[in-house]
Amino acid sequence: MSILHTVNKSPFERNALESCLKFANSGDPVLLFEDGIYAALKGTSAEAQIKAALDKQSICVLGPDLKARGFSEDRVIEGIKVVDYAVFVDLAAENDNVQAWL
């Protein structure tokens, strides 16, 4: 059973990302959107945690939310896939469940 894990809160305000990565099964995809995109940025205190998670998780960031906050794709940590809304929908449909981490 696969679960799409979504994180929409900044890792600098809430511990949603930390909880998500702690409980997500190996291979489950993680999607960062809304303020969750800040975890995908190079040079932040979340970078080491994200890089370690990339060994067992597929991590995506929603491109339109990245752009809405003034960031370009070149700011994204290597290994994170930038996706659009269509891929977000595909991920939700391809997985058995969606777990929103608030």
Side-chain angles (χ1 to χ4, degrees):
M1 183 166 104
S2 60
I3 299 172
L4 169 62
H5 298 269
T6 63
V7 178
N8 71 336
K9 303 297 182 200
S10 169
F12 312 115
E13 294 178 356
R14 304 261 176 105
N15 66 349
L17 176 67
E18 183 179 340
S19 296
C20 169
L21 297 178
K22 181 178 177 181
F23 291 104
N25 292 321
S26 183
D28 284 349
V30 175
L31 176 73
L32 306 171
F33 70 112
E34 295 176 355
D35 285 346
I37 67 98
Y38 292 108
L41 301 177
K42 295 176 188 173
T44 71
S45 59
E47 186 172 7
Q49 183 180 29
I50 289 290
K51 283 184 173 180
L54 283 166
D55 290 338
K56 70 173 200 158
Q57 309 301 142
S58 166
I59 301 178
C60 303
V61 63
L62 193 61
D65 287 350
L66 192 67
K67 290 175 187 167
R69 285 155 181 80
F71 297 103
S72 60
E73 292 185 19
D74 65 341
R75 287 287 315 274
V76 175
I77 296 166
E78 188 173 327
I80 295 178
K81 183 178 178 184
V82 179
V83 299
D84 59 16
Y85 288 108
V87 174
F88 188 168
V89 171
D90 289 344
L91 284 168
E94 292 167 0
N95 289 278
D96 299 312
N97 290 304
V98 177
Q99 171 66 53
W101 293 89
L102 308 172

